[in-house]
Amino acid sequence: MSDVAIIDAGGANLGSVCYALERLGVAPRVVRDAAGLEGADRVILPGVGAAPEAMRRLHAQDLVEPLRRLQAPLLGICLGMQLLYEGSEEGDVECLGLLPGVVRHMRPGQCIRIPHMGWNGLRIMRPSALMDGVPEGASAYFVHSYAAPLTADTVAASDHGSLFTAVVQRGRHCGAQFHPERSAATGARILRNFLEMDF
Amino acid sequence: MLSRRIIPCLDVRDGRVVKGVRFRDHVDMGDIAELAMRYRDEGADELVFYDISASPQGRSVDHAWVERVARLIDIPFCVAGGIRDVETARRVLHAGADKISINSPALERPALVSELADAFGVQCVVVGIDSIREADGQWRVRTNTGDPSRTREPGVRTLDWIVEAQRLGAGEIVLNCMDSDGVRRGYDIVQLREARAACHVPLVASGGAGEMLHFAEAFEQADVDGALAASVFHGGTIAIPELKRFLRQRDIEVRDV
C-alpha cells in the first residue's frame, strides 16, 4: 500500500499506530488537514480521549466535511471508530454519521468494570475481508467506556456485560473498537487486511 | 469474556531493568527492550515500566526508551515514575505509552488525576498506590518508595485514597501491598478484597507473587482484573505460558498465548 494517511486529531495513540504500520512495512503520512487526505489510498483515524473534544478538533482542523466526502477507505480505531457513527452519548455530540447508530456508555455490573480494559475475545458476526485469517475467539486489546451497538454493519462483536461492536464495516468505512496496534498478531492481521483488501 | 491480565513489571533505573527486595538492594536484570520483547513473546498481556529512580529525585522519565519500546512491541504498556504534570504525561503518551501511572505526585496534588483524565481520558490514567499495614491495623499509603531514605507517610488511608482517586478520574488502580512485596508469600488477599469492594474501575494486584497458585488466589479470591509481578518472571521462577495453562485449568479466563 503506497499511501496511507493517519489523521492527527490529538489522539495520544498516534505514534503507536504509526509504529504498527511501520512493523508491516508501511511508512504512513501524518496529516492534520483536508489537503493531507488528497491522494491517500487508505486513511486511518486513531483516537484516544473523549468524543466531544475529538469532534471539536476535527471541526477546528476543517476535517469533518472532507471525512464525510472521503472516497478512500477509512479505518477508525477506538474513539476514531466511535466518531464514524451518527453520534455519541459522551457529551451528546454529533459525530461523522458515516455509520448508522449511536455510541452509548457501557453499563457496569457484577464483575463488569468500566472502563472495559484488557484482552477480550472477538465473536465473528458476518463475513468481511477485515477478518481474513483471524480465528473465532481471537483476543484483542480494548480500553474504552463507550461502545457502539450491534447493527447490520457489525463484523465482530465482543462481550462485556452485553455484546457490542468490536469490528465494523459498511462499504469503505471500517472500524475497530480495540487497539489493533496493541493487539499482537490479531491486530497486525486486521491492519494488514485493511491495507490489502479490495473495496 | 474479558481475560484476567498477567502483567510483568519492569522496574527501570538509569535505563536498565532492576529488581530489589522490599524496594532495596537493586539488582540489574537486563536491557529494557530485550526483556520487553521476551515477555511479549511469552504471552504477557501488558507491561508496566516503573522508573524507580525518577520520582524521588524529582525528575521525569527519559522518553527515548519509551519510544524504543513502543516501536518494538505490539502489546500495551504503561509508564510510571516522575509524571507530575499534563505536559510530561503528553510526552510519554506521544512517545507511545498506552497508559501512564502516577503515584506520589497524585498524593501530593490530587488535582493532577483530574487534569490527566480531562486531557487524555480516564482510560489512560492509572493510579498506583503503595500501601502498608500500620500498627493500628489500618492500611495507609506511602510515597516516594523508590528510595527508602525519601519515603514519606502522608497519613492517608489506602481505602479512602482508592475511592478518592476514582472520583478524581483514575481509570485503573494498581495496589502494591508493600508488606508482601518481594517476599513471594502470595498477594495480600485480605487487603485486595477490601480494595476490590471499594474499586469499581479495573484493579491490579501487586506485591507478593511467588508461585503460580498465588496468581490464581488473587483472581479467585480478590477478583482482581490483573496481577502484576516482577522477580518471579525476571528470575525465571514462573514462565508465563505455563502460568496461563495453570490458570486456564482452574477455569480462569486468560488470553491464549
Side-chain angles (χ1 to χ4, degrees), chain A residues 80-149:
Chain A
M81 165 180 144
Q82 296 179 5
L83 298 181
L84 304 184
Y85 286 84
E86 292 168 74
S88 174
E89 211 175 69
E90 189 175 21
D92 279 326
V93 67
E94 183 192 344
C95 296
L96 293 169
L98 298 170
L99 299 173
V102 174
V103 171
R104 306 227 178 259
H105 194 263
M106 301 177 85
R107 287 166 183 270
Q110 184 69 30
C111 295
I112 301 298
R113 261 78 70 171
I114 307 295
H116 174 222
M117 190 184 289
W119 296 82
N120 206 330
L122 300 178
R123 191 181 301 185
I124 296 171
M125 305 297 275
R126 67 174 179 84
S128 162
L130 271 176
M131 298 296 282
D132 279 358
V134 178
E136 173 76 16
S139 288
Y141 185 77
F142 293 84
V143 187
H144 60 121
S145 302
Y146 290 79

